[in-house]
């Protein structure tokens, strides 16, 4: 990313499977003594059940029932305090089951002062995938601990013995740097600077002190139908130079930014998720090169929109434009014009030498809003059901608008 893009406005530095360079403070503390100030499992379950009661009348969630809320797991945020790291309760995540089948998950904020429902979706609760994470750890000579990590967005992890994390959905080992304050983990901390509509949300969002979840009954939503939902299926697919056959120059992970961008362009090009795998892989691999994504899946932020603009192999030409302000307004306008945008979120701070960040790009396919809440509906790049993410549930973010030239 642009080395001049610094401070809170520019907290987004790199998106993708990030690495940490320099010496990382390895003094690990215990769970913070402030834990007793956070939402209890009982309280979080009550909020989750009430949210599901309101979601159930919608056909997409008609198999969700309050009694299906199960398998609670507390996820933590890593906070740097002096020379040690403490683990603050970040979110309760519940599986949602129907007659023993996994039908979704819901994420409840563990802090009583912020938006209660952080995210939800129809994919399996992330901690139910810990078995695969253990295999990944074993194959890389690290052990998985019993501490689950979450800093926002759609990345959920389990900590390893060397203080990294394994992404529970992607199955890759990633860094998760500690933040310097719990405030940056709160959706209402205004991560996008002077975002006026976010400031209003802080005043009217229902708090977790007894009000339960937002009232969805009067809300409105909008979405784009037909946007493909895929991940990299790279198993010897398109070549990084010929884009047709052979192995890539990188590993099986093409990077979240090329994948998110490919779903948006694939929508305009008429490529759906059931089309020929080589066509899909060729599009992803082309964007991998156009965005200058490295072999670890890392993409600089300036190369995301430039990569979209440089794509020249389709029926159409495209313009990419990064927007760091007014996240909701940009999303609403893009969706209204049937132009799926990218939402690029970071879930950690700068590392010690300010070179790397851990983040994730997704494709926005819709939103739902009401009095005091706004949820982004996204294809998360993992080829699972769409997630709904509460606006601001990240350390920082920007929107990449994508339009046909």
């Amino acid at each position: 990313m642009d080395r001049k893009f610094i401070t809170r406005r520019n907290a987004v530095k790199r998106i993708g499977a990030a690495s940490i360079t320099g010496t990382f403070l390895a003094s690990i503390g215990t769970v913070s003594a402030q834990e007793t100030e956070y939402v209890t499992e009982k309280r979080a379950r009550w909020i989750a059940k009430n949210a599901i009661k309101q979601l159930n009348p919608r056909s997409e969630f008609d198999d969700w029932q309050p009694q299906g809320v199960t398998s609670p797991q507390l996820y933590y945020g890593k906070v740097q305090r002096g020379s040690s790291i403490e683990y603050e309760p970040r979110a309760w995540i519940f599986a949602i089951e129907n007659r023993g089948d996994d039908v979704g998950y819901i994420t409840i904020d563990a802090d009583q002062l912020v938006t209660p429902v952080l995210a939800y979706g129809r994919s399996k609760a992330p901690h139910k995938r810990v078995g695969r994470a253990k295999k990944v750890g074993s194959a890389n000579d690290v052990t998985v601990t019993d501490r689950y990590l979450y800093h926002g967005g759609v990345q959920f992890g389990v900590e390893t013995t060397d203080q990294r994390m394994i992404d529970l959905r992607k199955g890759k080992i990633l860094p998760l740097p500690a933040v310097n304050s719990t405030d940056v983990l709160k959706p209402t901390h205004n991560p996008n600077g002077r975002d006026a509509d976010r400031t209003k949300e802080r005043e009217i969002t229902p708090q977790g002190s007894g009000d339960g979840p937002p009232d969805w009954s009067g809300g409105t939503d909008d979405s784009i139908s037909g946007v493909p939902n895929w991940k990299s299926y790279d198993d010897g697919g398109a070549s990084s130079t010929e884009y047709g056959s052979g192995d890539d120059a990188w590993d099986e992970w093409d990077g979240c930014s090329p994948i998110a961008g490919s779903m948006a362009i694939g929508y305009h090009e008429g490529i759906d998720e059931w089309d020929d795998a080589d066509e899909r892989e060729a599009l992803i691999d082309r964007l991998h090169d156009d965005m200058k994504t490295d072999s670890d899946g890392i993409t600089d932020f300036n190369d995301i929109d430039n990569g979209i603009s440089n794509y020249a192999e389709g029926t159409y030409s495209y313009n990419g434009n990064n927007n760091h302000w007014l996240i909701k307004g940009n999303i609403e306008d893009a969706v209204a014009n049937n132009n799926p945008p990218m939402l690029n979120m970071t879930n950690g701070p700068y590392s010690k030498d300010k070179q790397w960040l851990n983040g994730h790009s997704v494709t926005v396919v819709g939103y739902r809003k009401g009095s005091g809440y706004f949820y982004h509906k996204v294809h998360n790049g993992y080829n699972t059901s769409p997630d709904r993410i509460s606006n601001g549930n990240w350390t920082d973010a920007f929107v990449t608008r994508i339009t046909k030239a």
Side-chain angles (χ1 to χ4, degrees):
M1 289 185 176
D2 188 346
R3 298 296 184 259
K4 297 180 181 178
F5 193 64
I6 306 176
T7 74
R8 278 311 309 159
R9 176 174 183 261
N10 51 25
V12 180
K13 183 86 170 167
R14 285 198 166 201
I15 298 293
S19 302
I20 297 179
T21 57
T23 303
F24 185 74
L25 294 173
S27 177
I28 304 301
T30 58
V31 173
S32 170
Q34 298 178 14
E35 181 171 356
T36 56
E37 301 176 8
Y38 289 79
V39 175
T40 64
E41 176 190 328
K42 180 179 180 181
R43 185 66 176 169
R45 189 188 295 270
W46 179 85
I47 295 171
K49 287 184 174 182
N50 276 275
I52 287 172
K53 285 180 182 177
Q54 295 185 45
L55 287 167
N56 170 264
R58 307 186 74 198
S59 60
E60 184 177 359
F61 304 104
D62 60 7
D63 57 349
W64 285 16
Q65 299 293 336
Q67 61 269 27
V69 175
T70 185
S71 302
Q73 181 61 58
L74 182 59
Y75 286 64
Y76 293 88
K78 294 171 65 173
V79 182
Q80 189 79 46
R81 298 193 187 281
S83 61
S84 65
I85 292 176
E86 294 183 357
Y87 293 82
E88 298 281 357
R90 174 68 178 97
W92 286 99
I93 299 181
F94 296 87
I96 304 171
E97 297 182 356
N98 186 303
R99 298 181 180 180
D101 294 330
D102 289 299
V103 293
Y105 79 97
I106 189 166
T107 303
I108 306 300
D109 203 313
D111 189 324
Q112 298 186 50
L113 300 179
V114 295
T115 307
V117 182
L118 292 177
Y120 59 97
R122 293 194 59 87
S123 57
K124 181 183 292 188
H127 50 275
K128 285 201 167 189
R129 302 175 185 269
V130 72
R132 183 179 67 166
K134 291 179 178 179
K135 293 179 181 178
V136 171
S138 178
N140 289 273
D141 298 321
V142 295
T143 303
V144 169
T145 72
D146 59 357
R147 181 178 287 122
Y148 292 86
L149 302 173
Y150 179 66
H151 281 193
V154 296
Q155 283 186 317
F156 306 88
V158 60
E159 193 171 48
T160 60
T161 49
D162 60 357
Q163 284 80 55
R164 292 182 292 170
M165 79 168 187
I166 297 178
D167 188 310
L168 289 163
R169 287 172 155 180
K170 189 165 55 183
K172 289 183 69 69
I173 300 178
L174 304 170
L176 185 65
V179 298
N180 57 16
S181 168
T182 55
D183 286 344
V184 301
L185 297 177
K186 299 177 181 180
T188 53
H189 85 282
N190 197 16
N192 295 104
R194 302 174 183 84
D195 191 338
D197 53 6
R198 186 190 307 277
T199 302
K200 288 182 182 178
E201 285 180 3
R202 182 160 195 164
E203 299 170 358
I204 60 178
T205 297
Q207 306 298 303
S209 59
D211 299 321
D215 179 7
W216 276 289
S217 60
T220 61
D221 57 4
D222 196 6
S223 63
I224 307 171
S225 61
V227 181
N229 184 11
W230 58 46
K231 63 176 182 178
S232 172
Y233 291 87
D234 205 5
D235 53 1
S239 164
S240 62
T241 55
E242 297 180 3
Y243 303 103
S245 61
D247 293 330
D248 288 336
W250 46 88
D251 66 13
E252 73 279 359
W253 176 241
D254 285 296
C256 57
S257 298
I259 293 170
S262 75
M263 287 187 275
I265 288 180
Y267 168 77
H268 292 297
E269 295 289 322
I271 305 172
D272 64 39
E273 55 203 87
W274 300 279
D275 278 339
D276 180 73
D278 278 346
E279 185 177 14
R280 177 179 59 236
E281 276 298 321
L283 171 55
I284 296 172
D285 291 345
R286 179 71 260 178
L287 285 174
H288 182 113
D289 276 354
D290 288 340
M291 291 183 180
K292 301 179 182 179
T293 303
D294 70 14
S295 59
D296 291 323
I298 304 168
T299 309
D300 284 358
F301 88 92
N302 271 340
D303 290 326
I304 293 177
D305 58 348
N306 289 337
I308 295 294
S309 298
N310 290 336
Y311 178 75
E313 283 67 38
T315 303
Y316 306 102
S317 297
Y318 297 91
N319 288 324
N321 188 289
N322 288 342
N323 297 268
H324 300 270
W325 312 108
L326 299 173
I327 299 296
K328 294 190 302 184
N330 275 289
I331 293 297
E332 289 185 73
D333 187 64
V335 171
N337 286 283
N338 289 314
N339 290 318
M342 295 169 60
L343 177 61
N344 311 285
M345 302 165 284
T346 62
N347 301 320
Y350 287 119
S351 65
K352 191 173 181 181
D353 64 358
K354 302 187 187 305
Q355 291 299 308
W356 306 87
L357 268 180
N358 185 21
H360 190 59
S361 295
V362 296
T363 312
V364 181
V365 298
Y367 62 85
R368 180 165 177 81
K369 67 176 183 177
S371 178
Y373 67 88
F374 189 105
Y375 287 89
H376 304 271
K377 181 180 180 180
V378 305
H379 289 171
N380 52 41
Y382 302 124
N383 192 36
T384 58
S385 298
D387 288 310
R388 272 76 169 181
I389 310 169
S390 178
N391 188 60
N393 184 19
W394 45 69
T395 303
D396 213 323
F398 64 93
V399 175
T400 303
R401 299 283 297 267
I402 301 170
T403 56
K404 290 187 290 187

